[in-house]
Every structure is written in structure tokens, then in C-alpha cells.
Amino acid sequence: QVQLVESEGGLVQPGESLRLSCAASGSGFSINAMDWYRQAPGKQRELVATISSGNMTNYADSVKGRFTISRDNAKNTVYLQMNSLKPEDTAVYYCHAVLKTYGTIWYKNYWGQGTQVTVSS
């Protein structure tokens, strides 16, 4: 069974940096796109960044220029490097992956457990 395991977030001060990781465990699958979402209290979940299997990336306007998404295919892991963090970045961050199990023709969505990132002075 495939699952996505996220690293722990944490409490950081404005202007500091933090890196999140999300690793897909298991075997016998191939990963297409990997993404990061976040959800702040009282707000809807939003797409933060996405990266394709060919390393094409896209970012929400609110994080563009500050966040970088990357992936290590050998480790089945996606990263989110967050620089110049702001209080409005405070949210629960979720990783997401679209993958296909060998022997099937279907791609399925998987979600990480979510990790809290708090930016406060």
C-alpha cells in the first residue's frame, strides 16, 4: 500500500526558511505530478506549488519567488523550500501525488497527513 509521509513543520519567525519533504513509501508504482497544498484556519485549501514528472513547476502568486518545489525521483520524494516566510504562510501543509500502480491503467490521488507550519514573531 502506498502512503505519503510528510516531515514535521514547525514554528519559525518571519523571514526565516523551512524545508518540507514528502516521501512516497511502498513499491511497484510510478509517480506523475506531485504537489503541495495548504489550508489556513478559516480558509479553503489552496494549491501552493506543483511539479510534473518532467520538472515543470507552477506556483501560487502568493508564494512565487519565495517557495521552490523540487523532487528526487530516486527517493520518490517531493520537497518544498520555503524562504522569506510570512505570517500569512501559517497553515497546515499537505503533499499530494498522482501515481499509477504497475499492472493497472488508473492514476490515483494520494495525500500526506498534513503538517503544521506556523510563522510568528
Side-chain angles (χ1 to χ4, degrees):
Q1 182 177 351
V2 179
Q3 62 178 355
L4 303 182
V5 180
E6 299 180 32
S7 63
E8 288 296 314
L11 173 63
V12 297
Q13 295 185 358
E16 294 183 342
S17 298
L18 187 67
R19 190 184 75 162
L20 302 179
S21 65
C22 174
S25 65
S27 61
F29 59 86
S30 62
I31 302 176
N32 190 1
M34 302 189 80
D35 319 282
W36 286 97
Y37 289 76
R38 69 185 182 187
Q39 187 165 25
K43 295 186 177 181
Q44 295 181 327
R45 184 175 300 186
E46 66 172 338
L47 177 63
V48 176
T50 183
I51 184 168
S52 72
S53 60
N55 286 327
M56 180 179 294
T57 60
N58 280 295
Y59 300 90
D61 289 340
S62 59
V63 307
K64 192 172 185 178
R66 299 187 298 118
F67 290 12
T68 302
I69 187 172
S70 61
R71 62 192 291 169
D72 185 336
N73 292 330
K75 298 180 179 179
N76 290 324
T77 300
V78 62
Y79 303 92
L80 185 67
Q81 178 66 46
M82 302 182 290
N83 297 328
S84 302
L85 283 162
K86 304 175 181 179
E88 50 263 44
D89 295 319
T90 297
V92 176
Y93 285 72
Y94 300 88
C95 69
H96 168 261
V98 178
L99 58 83
K100 182 176 75 70
T101 301
Y102 297 144
T104 74
I105 63 172
W106 305 111
Y107 285 88
K108 298 194 296 183
N109 295 299
Y110 288 83
W111 291 89
Q113 78 277 13
T115 188
Q116 177 70 45
V117 174
T118 302
V119 185
S120 177
S121 60

